[in-house]
Amino acid sequence: MYTPDRDQDLHWMRRAIGLAALCPPATGAYSVGAVIVGEDGTELAVGYSRATGPREHAEEVALARLPQNDPRLAGATIYSTLEPCSQRSASRTPCAQRILQAGIPRVVIAWREPALFVDDCVGYEQLVEARVTVVELPELASAAKAANSHLGRLS
């Protein structure tokens, strides 16, 4: 399996951060960007929170832009500016579960979800438990948080 190097991870996370800046701000939701990159290093799909509706998450939007069971997902990496959610307030599938169902083997995040809307997000742990490689880029956390200034101070 192709594994991007740190410079490539930083490049794609910066792309996701740019997408997060496009999110319409919502008082009860994070602004998140996501990019799915194929094994060959090409961009397969992008998404950002509320891109196609008021309740959509970035990963959900990006995954919906690809055919279900797309064989390229088996070698893909998804870059998300925030840890994929482990629970949803609505009757929607959490993003960590969507990533597992899609068969994506590698996830890169900029920061872990703080306890603002959910007391204990365990998306990171669920992915690791399912043997997904999860990489965190803390050096881009502040840039990812900037798209969420509408929520006040975030840890």
Side-chain angles (χ1 to χ4, degrees):
M1 177 177 90
Y2 163 79
T3 303
D5 64 25
R6 190 139 187 99
D7 287 341
Q8 291 166 317
D9 281 346
L10 293 169
H11 165 80
W12 289 113
M13 185 58 70
R14 286 186 187 101
R15 169 86 167 109
I17 289 167
L19 292 165
L22 300 175
C23 297
T27 56
Y30 294 104
S31 292
V32 178
V35 181
I36 301 172
V37 178
E39 195 169 14
D40 63 356
T42 60
E43 184 177 293
L44 301 179
V46 300
Y48 58 88
S49 304
R50 299 171 296 286
T52 56
R55 296 165 83 182
E56 272 99 9
H57 289 192
E59 303 93 332
E60 178 180 14
V61 172
L63 285 165
R65 292 185 170 155
L66 293 171
Q68 199 168 11
N69 300 318
D70 188 319
R72 299 173 296 175
L73 293 173
T77 297
I78 187 166
Y79 294 84
S80 179
T81 59
L82 180 67
E83 172 184 12
C85 67
S86 59
Q87 61 187 44
R88 299 281 292 266
S89 58
S91 60
R92 299 171 90 89
T93 303
C95 294
Q97 187 62 39
R98 288 176 188 275
I99 290 166
L100 293 174
Q101 289 170 351
I104 296 175
R106 188 169 185 269
V107 177
V108 180
I109 63 170
W111 60 305
R112 302 280 298 266
E113 183 174 333
L116 184 61
F117 303 120
V118 174
D119 286 335
D120 188 24
C121 179
V122 292
Y124 184 103
E125 290 82 2
Q126 287 175 348
L127 293 166
V128 169
E129 187 176 298
R131 300 187 185 269
V132 170
T133 300
V134 182
V135 176
E136 189 172 352
L137 301 175
E139 63 268 43
L140 292 180
S142 61
K145 290 176 187 179
N148 292 281
S149 60
H150 65 284
L151 298 174
R153 185 180 169 99
L154 297 169
S155 57

